[in-house]
Amino acid sequence: MIKGYSIHVTKHVKPGPELYKDIIEKFGGTLKSKKLTKDDKKNSFAISCLEDREITKTMKDDGIVVVNRDLFISAVLKQKLRNIPCKKRSFLFNPYF
């Protein structure tokens, strides 16, 4: 999903860049500590929040894709579920488990 991507997490995103670093690296991406610029457009995106809208606006103007944390976490969880073999996955939907 994010293998080979450079990802920047803006300052006010909760629970903080360190948690995201673990997730990003686990799935083959790289956490960028510096704000992304138009030179970083290819294979990169930013995770941001409303409190960082000034930074986000600049990145969007440079053509950087910006997503919120909920979209990112949701995509990661869906990817994780797809990688569980089908027989093991069935317990997730069994109301009697």
Side-chain angles (χ1 to χ4, degrees), residues 9-14 46-60 66-70:
V9 180
T10 60
K11 185 167 123 178
H12 293 101
V13 173
K14 301 294 180 220
I47 303 168
S48 192
C49 59
L50 288 175
E51 291 84 1
D52 293 324
R53 64 183 154 258
E54 290 301 318
I55 297 166
T56 301
K57 183 183 179 333
T58 305
M59 286 191 284
K60 283 181 177 179
V66 179
V67 299
N68 69 31
R69 71 169 188 192
D70 295 336

Side-chain angles (χ1 to χ4, degrees), residues 34-92:
K34 294 181 185 176
K35 182 184 87 160
L36 299 171
T37 66
K38 57 185 165 193
D39 296 332
D40 298 310
K41 238 185 330 195
K42 189 175 180 185
N43 292 335
S44 65
F45 64 91
I47 303 168
S48 192
C49 59
L50 288 175
E51 291 84 1
D52 293 324
R53 64 183 154 258
E54 290 301 318
I55 297 166
T56 301
K57 183 183 179 333
T58 305
M59 286 191 284
K60 283 181 177 179
D61 290 346
D62 285 343
I64 304 296
V65 173
V66 179
V67 299
N68 69 31
R69 71 169 188 192
D70 295 336
L71 177 67
F72 176 75
I73 296 298
S74 175
V76 167
L77 290 173
K78 286 177 184 175
Q79 181 67 30
K80 186 90 171 144
L81 280 176
R82 283 190 200 115
N83 291 334
I84 297 173
C86 195
K87 287 182 182 179
K88 290 182 181 178
R89 196 177 336 148
S90 63
F91 80 88
L92 296 171

Side-chain angles (χ1 to χ4, degrees), residues 2-45:
I2 58 175
K3 187 176 185 173
Y5 276 77
S6 295
I7 302 161
H8 174 71
V9 180
T10 60
K11 185 167 123 178
H12 293 101
V13 173
K14 301 294 180 220
E18 281 308 308
L19 173 74
Y20 289 95
K21 179 181 180 189
D22 292 342
I23 295 168
I24 290 165
E25 290 178 353
K26 168 106 171 117
F27 285 90
T30 304
L31 180 69
K32 298 264 300 194
S33 58
K34 294 181 185 176
K35 182 184 87 160
L36 299 171
T37 66
K38 57 185 165 193
D39 296 332
D40 298 310
K41 238 185 330 195
K42 189 175 180 185
N43 292 335
S44 65
F45 64 91

